[in-house]
């Protein structure tokens, strides 16, 4: 008997084009709080999905209390005693605490009707076990985020979960709520429940965890008692890979400031963001998922309303309230979620390519078909978009080629400032290099390029300057060639450390 | 030029309902000897005209992933407005027609405003409200009494809905002409493509700088305009304005679009598919009438055809998606 409540042995999971987990192992003891950390894309989410029965593994085994188990679906995982509290809570806000705790497992009377007295009693008890004396009749949507999360943990406790996975549990909580969550977590530990605590906040690990496992590129790096670790050791373990030279960086000539942002603020999300971006340069924007990077640039682009702040294009203040205004000021925004926000999948490639500039291909109300087709063909050739024809619907293209169509859409616009949000996510290496070449060409033409990326090597490989964000603030600004222009220091800034 | 851009998928998409239409005609030709003759076919076209007009507006609304439940009431209101004006002594055909078109457009524009200015959650809500308001107004201005148009000196107004050229109804000539315009509008103009884009992915369109709210207002106004036109044809066909006449118009129009390949999810649908859908409904009604079937049977058959058409449509889509996945592996 191993004594582990859950043990993952050599699990490998391959997605088309990506190895998400590479012979990953993890051992969790009963009654411990086990931290799991890694960079963006290190494979934490895939690991969680494996543990909760969402994904199966290509290789490897999972042991629960020493016995091998195979989860075919999330219900199997639940039955085996694994519960997960996601960042996005699975709470029906319109229903009571009791209804949420008993969702799908209601207690019935002999008559077949629901036995609410018993359910309320048990719900109250489950919440009390977590240290909350609360009326279970209350509607969840009217409770604070912290309590809603407790309801979800309460559900896990009531199901007698042996392992509770908490995925970024503190990201939407206030300080007091975090303290309460930690108090509850300690109670769970004393009751013998194991907690897998996934977090982007290193300082929390030192407060709450007993042991910590570090992952990198889908692989197991180390598991250590927290007392044997410090901040630097953790950062080093997370980023300690060598840089491969796949970045065909060609510097442009630094020109004037193209975009200035002053004190951009959105209540609770962005706190006084200020920076400059120059022509002829790539400005990299680093930070962890949820640091406010996309929000910042959606705000600048007019996609979301902002509470305060000033935006200057070529030194002149501009008023951007709608993406149309931004496009008029020659700003292009390549969204991260290309299927959801970049393309109309049901439409032909050629129409997607002119999506941002219909008026440029019109005479009066009529589209100039020949112009559209000529322009589309030349973009398809230039960007090497692999598509049977320009009359193919975008849904039929592969991810990388869809991404190129999004880029092509903005090539058709007379833009000066290009914001790329995660431009190479989910596309293969060859397509990535094509995207980098496009960026090189843009800066050499004197355009201003801003690249939001969660991949540090990409940030280091392509940027002329890097700003690092954390919790809606810019925490560092690092020029290429400066002494902090390395993975460790960028990560330190992204995880809330200070650079000396 | 147009032929080259039609690929096989489009053909199949258009052919499914067309095959059903032809099959239905063949079956009915054998079932009753009153079906297969010129006069009856012209009768079917006449019967299909109003639905064709309303369905064309409904189609562009559906393409934006919306719905317009006010079309029936709107069409009837246009007829009633003309009736009331006539009772007040207006006999100029052009003025009466203009009033019908204007009334239809105003109601449609109102739908657009409710949707884009009040940010109501779904056009189902705004147009359901509008349907009832408009019906109420129609009853109010006519004092709930049908208005007859015959021998009131407005005969030219009735021509659009009643006259034929060698038996061919003028109303359907208008339909053919407008459908050709819609085809050009949807495929060859920027606004037309924007309608598909907004319906296919509203967020991507917004982030690409398309003013989707303006597109919505135009779409609902156009739908209203087509209702106004349908109102003129209606007055010609039945020579009266009756506030309760448009009960089945909403659902018939939606059914024509859906049978013709439009989707409630938006982003797809063609004008010629819609015509086939409208003709199919008219043929079923006509055929069952000739066979002596009552309303009840007609409703049951049409209901089944709608369900079947959509079922075939989604099954085909799922199979295509599967084939794509297999091809990608």
């Amino acid at each position: 008997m191993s004594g582990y409540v859950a043990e993952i042995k050599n699990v490998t999971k391959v997605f088309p084009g990506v190895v998400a987990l590479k012979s990953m192992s993890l051992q969790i003891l009963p009654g411990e709080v086990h931290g799991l950390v890694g960079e963006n894309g290190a494979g934490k989410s895939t690991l969680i999905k494996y543990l909760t029965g969402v994904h199966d593994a290509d290789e490897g085994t999972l042991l629960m209390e020493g016995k091998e188990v195979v989860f075919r679906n999330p219900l199997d995982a639940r039955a085996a005693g694994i519960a997960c509290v996601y960042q996005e809570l699975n709470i029906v806000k319109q229903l009571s605490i009791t209804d949420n705790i008993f969702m799908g497992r209601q207690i019935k009377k002999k008559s077949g009707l629901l036995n609410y007295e018993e359910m309320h009693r048990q719900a109250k008890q489950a919440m009390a076990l977590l240290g909350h004396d609360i009326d279970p009749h209350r509607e969840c949507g009217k409770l604070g985020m912290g309590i809603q999360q407790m309801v979800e943990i309460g559900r896990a406790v009531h199901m007698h979960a042996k392992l509770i996975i908490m995925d970024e549990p503190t990201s939407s909580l206030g300080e007091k709520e975090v303290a309460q969550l930690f108090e509850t977590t300690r109670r769970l530990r004393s009751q013998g429940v194991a907690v897998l605590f996934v977090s982007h906040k290193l300082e929390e690990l030192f407060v709450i965890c007993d042991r910590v496992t570090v992952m990198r590129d889908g692989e197991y790096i180390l598991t250590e008692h927290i007392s044997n670790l410090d901040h630097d050791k953790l950062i080093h373990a997370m980023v300690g890979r060598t840089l491969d030279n796949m970045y065909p960086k060609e510097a442009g000539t630094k020109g004037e400031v193209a975009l200035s942002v002053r004190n951009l603020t959105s209540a609770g999300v962005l706190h006084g963001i200020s920076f400059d971006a120059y022509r002829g340069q790539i400005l990299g924007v680093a930070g962890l998922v949820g640091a406010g990077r996309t929000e910042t640039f959606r705000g600048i682009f007019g996609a979301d309303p902002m509470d305060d702040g000033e935006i200057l294009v070529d030194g002149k203040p501009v008023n951007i309230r709608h993406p149309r205004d931004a496009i008029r000021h020659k700003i292009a925004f390549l969204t991260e979620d290309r299927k959801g926000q970049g393309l109309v999948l049901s439409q032909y490639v050629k129409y997607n390519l002119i999506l941002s500039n219909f008026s440029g291909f019109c005479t009066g109300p009529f589209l100039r078909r020949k112009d559209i087709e000529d322009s589309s063909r030349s973009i398809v050739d230039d960007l090497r978009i692999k598509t049977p024809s320009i009359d193919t619907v975008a849904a039929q293209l592969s991810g990388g080629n869809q991404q190129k169509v999004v880029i092509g859409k903005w090539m058709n616009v007379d833009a000066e400032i290009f914001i790329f949000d995660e431009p190479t996510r989910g596309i293969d290496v060859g397509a990535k290099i094509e995207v980098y070449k496009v960026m090189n060409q843009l800066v050499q033409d004197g355009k201003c390029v801003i690249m939001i990326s969660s991949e540090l090597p990409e940030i280091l490989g392509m940027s002329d300057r890097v700003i690092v964000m954390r919790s809606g603030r810019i925490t560092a600004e690092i020029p290429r060639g400066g002494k902090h222009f390395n993975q460790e220091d960028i990560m330190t800034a992204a995880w809330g450390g200070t650079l000396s | 030029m147009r032929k080259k851009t039609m690929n096989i998928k489009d053909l199949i998409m258009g052919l499914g309902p067309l095959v059903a239409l032809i099959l239905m005609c063949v079956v009915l030709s054998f079932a009753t000897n009153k079906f297969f003759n010129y006069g009856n076919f012209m009768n079917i076209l006449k019967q299909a005209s109003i639905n064709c007009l309303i369905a064309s507006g409904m189609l562009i609304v559906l393409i934006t992933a919306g719905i317009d439940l006010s079309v029936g009431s709107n069409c009837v209101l246009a007829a009633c407005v003309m009736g009331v004006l006539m009772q007040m002594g207006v006999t100029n055909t052009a003025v009466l027609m203009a009033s019908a078109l204007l009334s239809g457009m105003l109601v449609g524009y109102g739908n657009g405003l409710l949707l884009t200015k009040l940010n109501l959650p779904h056009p189902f809500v705004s147009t359901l409200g509008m349907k009832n308001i408009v019906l109420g107004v129609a009853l109010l201005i006519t004092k709930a009494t049908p208005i007859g148009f015959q021998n009131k000196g407005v005969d030219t107004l009735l021509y659009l809905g009643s006259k034929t050229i060698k038996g061919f109804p003028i109303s359907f000539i208008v339909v053919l002409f407008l459908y050709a315009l819609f085809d050009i509008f949807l495929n060859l103009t920027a606004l037309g493509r924007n309608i598909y884009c907004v319906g296919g992915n509203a967020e991507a369109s917004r982030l690409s700088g398309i003013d989707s709210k303006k597109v919505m207002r135009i779409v609902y106004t156009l739908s209203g305009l087509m209702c106004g036109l349908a109102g003129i044809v209606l007055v010609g066909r039945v020579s009266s304005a009756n506030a309760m006449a448009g009960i089945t118009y909403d659902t018939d129009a939606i059914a024509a679009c859906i049978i013709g390949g439009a989707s409630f999810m938006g982003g797809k649908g063609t004008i010629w598919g819609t015509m086939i859908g409208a003709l199919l409904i008219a043929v079923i009604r006509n055929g069952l009438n000739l066979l002596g079937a009552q309303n009840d049977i007609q409703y049951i058959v049409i209901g089944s055809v709608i369900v079947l058409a959509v079922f075939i449509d989604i099954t085909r889509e799922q199979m295509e998606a599967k084939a794509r996945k297999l091809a990608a592996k």
Side-chain angles (χ1 to χ4, degrees), chain A residues 314-327:
Chain A
D314 291 328
K316 284 187 282 291
V318 294
N319 183 14
I320 295 175
R321 301 181 55 181
H322 187 281
R324 262 176 298 139
D325 302 331
I327 292 168

mmCIF file with all atom_site columns, all heavy atoms in Angstrom, chain A residues 314-327:
data_model
loop_
_atom_site.group_PDB
_atom_site.id
_atom_site.type_symbol
_atom_site.label_atom_id
_atom_site.label_alt_id
_atom_site.label_comp_id
_atom_site.label_asym_id
_atom_site.label_entity_id
_atom_site.label_seq_id
_atom_site.pdbx_PDB_ins_code
_atom_site.Cartn_x
_atom_site.Cartn_y
_atom_site.Cartn_z
_atom_site.occupancy
_atom_site.B_iso_or_equiv
_atom_site.pdbx_formal_charge
_atom_site.auth_seq_id
_atom_site.auth_comp_id
_atom_site.auth_asym_id
_atom_site.auth_atom_id
_atom_site.pdbx_PDB_model_num
ATOM 1   N N   . ASP A 1 314 ? -0.186  58.637 -32.247 1.00 0.00 ? 314 ASP A N   1
ATOM 2   C CA  . ASP A 1 314 ? 0.758   59.591 -32.830 1.00 0.00 ? 314 ASP A CA  1
ATOM 3   C C   . ASP A 1 314 ? 0.740   60.917 -32.077 1.00 0.00 ? 314 ASP A C   1
ATOM 4   O O   . ASP A 1 314 ? 0.767   61.998 -32.674 1.00 0.00 ? 314 ASP A O   1
ATOM 5   C CB  . ASP A 1 314 ? 0.437   59.824 -34.313 1.00 0.00 ? 314 ASP A CB  1
ATOM 6   C CG  . ASP A 1 314 ? 0.738   58.582 -35.146 1.00 0.00 ? 314 ASP A CG  1
ATOM 7   O OD1 . ASP A 1 314 ? 1.677   57.857 -34.765 1.00 0.00 ? 314 ASP A OD1 1
ATOM 8   O OD2 . ASP A 1 314 ? 0.037   58.345 -36.135 1.00 0.00 ? 314 ASP A OD2 1
ATOM 9   N N   . GLY A 1 315 ? 0.651   60.845 -30.767 1.00 0.00 ? 315 GLY A N   1
ATOM 10  C CA  . GLY A 1 315 ? 0.740   62.043 -29.936 1.00 0.00 ? 315 GLY A CA  1
ATOM 11  C C   . GLY A 1 315 ? -0.549  62.810 -29.778 1.00 0.00 ? 315 GLY A C   1
ATOM 12  O O   . GLY A 1 315 ? -0.624  63.743 -28.985 1.00 0.00 ? 315 GLY A O   1
ATOM 13  N N   . LYS A 1 316 ? -1.595  62.418 -30.530 1.00 0.00 ? 316 LYS A N   1
ATOM 14  C CA  . LYS A 1 316 ? -2.851  63.174 -30.429 1.00 0.00 ? 316 LYS A CA  1
ATOM 15  C C   . LYS A 1 316 ? -3.874  62.368 -29.629 1.00 0.00 ? 316 LYS A C   1
ATOM 16  O O   . LYS A 1 316 ? -4.063  61.175 -29.886 1.00 0.00 ? 316 LYS A O   1
ATOM 17  C CB  . LYS A 1 316 ? -3.414  63.460 -31.829 1.00 0.00 ? 316 LYS A CB  1
ATOM 18  C CG  . LYS A 1 316 ? -2.657  64.575 -32.552 1.00 0.00 ? 316 LYS A CG  1
ATOM 19  C CD  . LYS A 1 316 ? -3.325  64.949 -33.859 1.00 0.00 ? 316 LYS A CD  1
ATOM 20  C CE  . LYS A 1 316 ? -3.033  63.968 -34.981 1.00 0.00 ? 316 LYS A CE  1
ATOM 21  N NZ  . LYS A 1 316 ? -1.640  63.980 -35.467 1.00 0.00 ? 316 LYS A NZ  1
ATOM 22  N N   . PRO A 1 317 ? -4.535  63.009 -28.670 1.00 0.00 ? 317 PRO A N   1
ATOM 23  C CA  . PRO A 1 317 ? -5.554  62.283 -27.897 1.00 0.00 ? 317 PRO A CA  1
ATOM 24  C C   . PRO A 1 317 ? -6.695  61.845 -28.812 1.00 0.00 ? 317 PRO A C   1
ATOM 25  O O   . PRO A 1 317 ? -7.117  62.593 -29.696 1.00 0.00 ? 317 PRO A O   1
ATOM 26  C CB  . PRO A 1 317 ? -6.062  63.315 -26.895 1.00 0.00 ? 317 PRO A CB  1
ATOM 27  C CG  . PRO A 1 317 ? -5.150  64.478 -26.985 1.00 0.00 ? 317 PRO A CG  1
ATOM 28  C CD  . PRO A 1 317 ? -4.450  64.424 -28.286 1.00 0.00 ? 317 PRO A CD  1
ATOM 29  N N   . VAL A 1 318 ? -7.165  60.619 -28.630 1.00 0.00 ? 318 VAL A N   1
ATOM 30  C CA  . VAL A 1 318 ? -8.280  60.129 -29.437 1.00 0.00 ? 318 VAL A CA  1
ATOM 31  C C   . VAL A 1 318 ? -9.366  59.588 -28.509 1.00 0.00 ? 318 VAL A C   1
ATOM 32  O O   . VAL A 1 318 ? -9.100  59.210 -27.372 1.00 0.00 ? 318 VAL A O   1
ATOM 33  C CB  . VAL A 1 318 ? -7.842  59.007 -30.409 1.00 0.00 ? 318 VAL A CB  1
ATOM 34  C CG1 . VAL A 1 318 ? -6.891  59.529 -31.441 1.00 0.00 ? 318 VAL A CG1 1
ATOM 35  C CG2 . VAL A 1 318 ? -7.239  57.835 -29.648 1.00 0.00 ? 318 VAL A CG2 1
ATOM 36  N N   . ASN A 1 319 ? -10.577 59.610 -29.035 1.00 0.00 ? 319 ASN A N   1
ATOM 37  C CA  . ASN A 1 319 ? -11.712 59.123 -28.264 1.00 0.00 ? 319 ASN A CA  1
ATOM 38  C C   . ASN A 1 319 ? -12.209 57.839 -28.938 1.00 0.00 ? 319 ASN A C   1
ATOM 39  O O   . ASN A 1 319 ? -12.797 57.895 -29.999 1.00 0.00 ? 319 ASN A O   1
ATOM 40  C CB  . ASN A 1 319 ? -12.804 60.205 -28.249 1.00 0.00 ? 319 ASN A CB  1
ATOM 41  C CG  . ASN A 1 319 ? -13.981 59.783 -27.403 1.00 0.00 ? 319 ASN A CG  1
ATOM 42  O OD1 . ASN A 1 319 ? -13.886 58.820 -26.638 1.00 0.00 ? 319 ASN A OD1 1
ATOM 43  N ND2 . ASN A 1 319 ? -15.086 60.480 -27.544 1.00 0.00 ? 319 ASN A ND2 1
ATOM 44  N N   . ILE A 1 320 ? -11.922 56.721 -28.326 1.00 0.00 ? 320 ILE A N   1
ATOM 45  C CA  . ILE A 1 320 ? -12.304 55.442 -28.922 1.00 0.00 ? 320 ILE A CA  1
ATOM 46  C C   . ILE A 1 320 ? -13.397 54.811 -28.068 1.00 0.00 ? 320 ILE A C   1
ATOM 47  O O   . ILE A 1 320 ? -13.173 54.459 -26.922 1.00 0.00 ? 320 ILE A O   1
ATOM 48  C CB  . ILE A 1 320 ? -11.088 54.497 -29.023 1.00 0.00 ? 320 ILE A CB  1
ATOM 49  C CG1 . ILE A 1 320 ? -10.066 55.079 -29.999 1.00 0.00 ? 320 ILE A CG1 1
ATOM 50  C CG2 . ILE A 1 320 ? -11.523 53.111 -29.481 1.00 0.00 ? 320 ILE A CG2 1
ATOM 51  C CD1 . ILE A 1 320 ? -8.786  54.308 -30.078 1.00 0.00 ? 320 ILE A CD1 1
ATOM 52  N N   . ARG A 1 321 ? -14.583 54.693 -28.665 1.00 0.00 ? 321 ARG A N   1
ATOM 53  C CA  . ARG A 1 321 ? -15.689 54.132 -27.882 1.00 0.00 ? 321 ARG A CA  1
ATOM 54  C C   . ARG A 1 321 ? -16.248 52.868 -28.520 1.00 0.00 ? 321 ARG A C   1
ATOM 55  O O   . ARG A 1 321 ? -17.082 52.195 -27.942 1.00 0.00 ? 321 ARG A O   1
ATOM 56  C CB  . ARG A 1 321 ? -16.796 55.178 -27.764 1.00 0.00 ? 321 ARG A CB  1
ATOM 57  C CG  . ARG A 1 321 ? -16.269 56.440 -27.100 1.00 0.00 ? 321 ARG A CG  1
ATOM 58  C CD  . ARG A 1 321 ? -17.328 57.469 -26.959 1.00 0.00 ? 321 ARG A CD  1
ATOM 59  N NE  . ARG A 1 321 ? -18.482 56.937 -26.250 1.00 0.00 ? 321 ARG A NE  1
ATOM 60  C CZ  . ARG A 1 321 ? -19.570 57.639 -26.017 1.00 0.00 ? 321 ARG A CZ  1
ATOM 61  N NH1 . ARG A 1 321 ? -19.645 58.879 -26.430 1.00 0.00 ? 321 ARG A NH1 1
ATOM 62  N NH2 . ARG A 1 321 ? -20.584 57.103 -25.372 1.00 0.00 ? 321 ARG A NH2 1
ATOM 63  N N   . HIS A 1 322 ? -15.776 52.563 -29.711 1.00 0.00 ? 322 HIS A N   1
ATOM 64  C CA  . HIS A 1 322 ? -16.289 51.419 -30.444 1.00 0.00 ? 322 HIS A CA  1
ATOM 65  C C   . HIS A 1 322 ? -15.139 50.925 -31.315 1.00 0.00 ? 322 HIS A C   1
ATOM 66  O O   . HIS A 1 322 ? -14.301 51.726 -31.718 1.00 0.00 ? 322 HIS A O   1
ATOM 67  C CB  . HIS A 1 322 ? -17.474 51.884 -31.307 1.00 0.00 ? 322 HIS A CB  1
ATOM 68  C CG  . HIS A 1 322 ? -18.188 50.749 -31.987 1.00 0.00 ? 322 HIS A CG  1
ATOM 69  N ND1 . HIS A 1 322 ? -17.712 50.160 -33.120 1.00 0.00 ? 322 HIS A ND1 1
ATOM 70  C CD2 . HIS A 1 322 ? -19.329 50.115 -31.674 1.00 0.00 ? 322 HIS A CD2 1
ATOM 71  C CE1 . HIS A 1 322 ? -18.543 49.187 -33.478 1.00 0.00 ? 322 HIS A CE1 1
ATOM 72  N NE2 . HIS A 1 322 ? -19.532 49.145 -32.620 1.00 0.00 ? 322 HIS A NE2 1
ATOM 73  N N   . PRO A 1 323 ? -15.059 49.635 -31.587 1.00 0.00 ? 323 PRO A N   1
ATOM 74  C CA  . PRO A 1 323 ? -13.978 49.158 -32.451 1.00 0.00 ? 323 PRO A CA  1
ATOM 75  C C   . PRO A 1 323 ? -13.867 49.939 -33.764 1.00 0.00 ? 323 PRO A C   1
ATOM 76  O O   . PRO A 1 323 ? -12.777 50.117 -34.294 1.00 0.00 ? 323 PRO A O   1
ATOM 77  C CB  . PRO A 1 323 ? -14.372 47.701 -32.717 1.00 0.00 ? 323 PRO A CB  1
ATOM 78  C CG  . PRO A 1 323 ? -15.103 47.288 -31.494 1.00 0.00 ? 323 PRO A CG  1
ATOM 79  C CD  . PRO A 1 323 ? -15.854 48.512 -31.044 1.00 0.00 ? 323 PRO A CD  1
ATOM 80  N N   . ARG A 1 324 ? -15.005 50.457 -34.268 1.00 0.00 ? 324 ARG A N   1
ATOM 81  C CA  . ARG A 1 324 ? -14.954 51.247 -35.499 1.00 0.00 ? 324 ARG A CA  1
ATOM 82  C C   . ARG A 1 324 ? -14.062 52.469 -35.348 1.00 0.00 ? 324 ARG A C   1
ATOM 83  O O   . ARG A 1 324 ? -13.332 52.845 -36.258 1.00 0.00 ? 324 ARG A O   1
ATOM 84  C CB  . ARG A 1 324 ? -16.368 51.716 -35.862 1.00 0.00 ? 324 ARG A CB  1
ATOM 85  C CG  . ARG A 1 324 ? -17.055 50.866 -36.891 1.00 0.00 ? 324 ARG A CG  1
ATOM 86  C CD  . ARG A 1 324 ? -18.466 51.377 -37.090 1.00 0.00 ? 324 ARG A CD  1
ATOM 87  N NE  . ARG A 1 324 ? -19.203 51.256 -35.828 1.00 0.00 ? 324 ARG A NE  1
ATOM 88  C CZ  . ARG A 1 324 ? -20.032 52.173 -35.349 1.00 0.00 ? 324 ARG A CZ  1
ATOM 89  N NH1 . ARG A 1 324 ? -20.237 53.286 -35.998 1.00 0.00 ? 324 ARG A NH1 1
ATOM 90  N NH2 . ARG A 1 324 ? -20.659 51.966 -34.210 1.00 0.00 ? 324 ARG A NH2 1
ATOM 91  N N   . ASP A 1 325 ? -14.155 53.099 -34.151 1.00 0.00 ? 325 ASP A N   1
ATOM 92  C CA  . ASP A 1 325 ? -13.303 54.272 -33.907 1.00 0.00 ? 325 ASP A CA  1
ATOM 93  C C   . ASP A 1 325 ? -11.831 53.864 -33.944 1.00 0.00 ? 325 ASP A C   1
ATOM 94  O O   . ASP A 1 325 ? -10.998 54.568 -34.512 1.00 0.00 ? 325 ASP A O   1
ATOM 95  C CB  . ASP A 1 325 ? -13.620 54.885 -32.535 1.00 0.00 ? 325 ASP A CB  1
ATOM 96  C CG  . ASP A 1 325 ? -15.076 55.298 -32.423 1.00 0.00 ? 325 ASP A CG  1
ATOM 97  O OD1 . ASP A 1 325 ? -15.669 55.638 -33.465 1.00 0.00 ? 325 ASP A OD1 1
ATOM 98  O OD2 . ASP A 1 325 ? -15.615 55.270 -31.307 1.00 0.00 ? 325 ASP A OD2 1
ATOM 99  N N   . ALA A 1 326 ? -11.541 52.724 -33.326 1.00 0.00 ? 326 ALA A N   1
ATOM 100 C CA  . ALA A 1 326 ? -10.144 52.268 -33.277 1.00 0.00 ? 326 ALA A CA  1
ATOM 101 C C   . ALA A 1 326 ? -9.628  51.995 -34.687 1.00 0.00 ? 326 ALA A C   1
ATOM 102 O O   . ALA A 1 326 ? -8.507  52.360 -35.028 1.00 0.00 ? 326 ALA A O   1
ATOM 103 C CB  . ALA A 1 326 ? -10.037 51.016 -32.411 1.00 0.00 ? 326 ALA A CB  1
ATOM 104 N N   . ILE A 1 327 ? -10.461 51.355 -35.501 1.00 0.00 ? 327 ILE A N   1
ATOM 105 C CA  . ILE A 1 327 ? -10.038 51.040 -36.865 1.00 0.00 ? 327 ILE A CA  1
ATOM 106 C C   . ILE A 1 327 ? -9.794  52.327 -37.643 1.00 0.00 ? 327 ILE A C   1
ATOM 107 O O   . ILE A 1 327 ? -8.851  52.441 -38.416 1.00 0.00 ? 327 ILE A O   1
ATOM 108 C CB  . ILE A 1 327 ? -11.087 50.151 -37.561 1.00 0.00 ? 327 ILE A CB  1
ATOM 109 C CG1 . ILE A 1 327 ? -11.108 48.773 -36.885 1.00 0.00 ? 327 ILE A CG1 1
ATOM 110 C CG2 . ILE A 1 327 ? -10.797 50.005 -39.053 1.00 0.00 ? 327 ILE A CG2 1
ATOM 111 C CD1 . ILE A 1 327 ? -12.279 47.907 -37.274 1.00 0.00 ? 327 ILE A CD1 1
#
